Amino acid sequence: MDKIKDTRSFMRVTHRYLGFFLAGIMAIYAISGVLLIYRDTDFLKKENKIDKKIAINLSEKELGKELKIKNFEVEKKEGDVLKFKQGTYNTSTGQAKYTKKELPFVLDKMTKLHKSQSKDTLSPLNAFFGVSLFFFVISSFWMFNPKTKAFKRGIKFAIAGLVISVVLLFI
């Protein structure tokens, strides 16, 4: 019985202080997660006019990659000038004039945190955060005595959340 009490105490204390420690990180991930839902819209984005010189005679595919424009498509060509939805590119001079819609600096950095890959410097933070969230899932079952009504109701909610998530994955 003492071992169960010790485990429960350890889980509760660790859950509490890890929760306080991660509160700021969770706020950043929550905000960036919501922003990423609307990344295909212009929500909160501002328009930046860009005028830069790049390599000459780029193909349509190379140009889209160089300008970092998703779903890039040339609409028409007039002489040496390629016209696309966001602007123009002169194939003989390499001059590209276009507009790009981007999130404000801080919000952009937040979404990059959320989307980081293993090669990024923030990947250890993301891995730590993911493991910590999984610990929260497990340790939450030690927050209440299993014989209480709150615990039994909590199990039902946990199962409902799991089922709804799995169903939504396949819709």
Side-chain angles (χ1 to χ4, degrees), residues 64-82:
K65 196 172 190 177
E66 178 69 28
L67 300 179
K68 296 180 179 142
I69 297 175
K70 290 183 181 179
N71 302 320
F72 180 81
E73 188 178 318
V74 173
E75 293 176 345
K76 65 180 173 175
K77 183 176 181 177
E78 292 178 356
D80 288 342
V81 178
L82 298 179

Side-chain angles (χ1 to χ4, degrees), residues 7-8 10-16 132-146 148 150-152 154-155 157-158:
T7 302
R8 179 175 293 133
F10 171 79
M11 291 296 218
R12 290 174 64 107
V13 169
T14 306
H15 185 103
R16 178 187 322 137
S132 297
L133 285 180
F134 190 69
F135 172 78
F136 281 171
V137 169
I138 302 304
S139 66
S140 66
F141 293 102
W142 274 270
M143 301 305 284
F144 296 94
N145 185 334
T148 63
F151 182 82
K152 292 174 184 170
I155 293 293
F157 274 89

Side-chain angles (χ1 to χ4, degrees), residues 66-120:
E66 178 69 28
L67 300 179
K68 296 180 179 142
I69 297 175
K70 290 183 181 179
N71 302 320
F72 180 81
E73 188 178 318
V74 173
E75 293 176 345
K76 65 180 173 175
K77 183 176 181 177
E78 292 178 356
D80 288 342
V81 178
L82 298 179
K83 294 190 176 195
F84 49 97
K85 183 179 178 184
Q86 298 85 349
T88 61
Y89 166 68
N90 189 314
T91 56
S92 61
T93 65
Q95 196 66 36
K97 295 179 182 181
Y98 60 103
T99 58
K100 199 168 187 180
K101 293 185 179 182
E102 297 172 335
L103 286 169
F105 180 76
V106 173
L107 296 179
D108 187 53
K109 289 294 183 185
M110 287 170 62
T111 57
K112 285 189 171 110
L113 168 72
H114 204 105
K115 298 189 300 185
S116 76
Q117 300 173 3
S118 61
K119 64 184 175 190
D120 296 334

Side-chain angles (χ1 to χ4, degrees), residues 11 14-15 22 35 37 45-46 52 57-58 70 72 77 99 109 122 124 126-128 140 142 147 149 152 159 165:
M11 291 296 218
T14 306
H15 185 103
L22 293 175
L35 289 174
I37 293 168
K45 291 181 181 174
K46 61 181 181 178
K52 68 180 185 178
N57 294 322
L58 292 177
K70 290 183 181 179
F72 180 81
K77 183 176 181 177
T99 58
K109 289 294 183 185
L122 291 170
N126 287 341
F128 172 72
S140 66
W142 274 270
K147 296 175 184 166
K149 192 175 186 178
K152 292 174 184 170
I159 291 169
S165 296

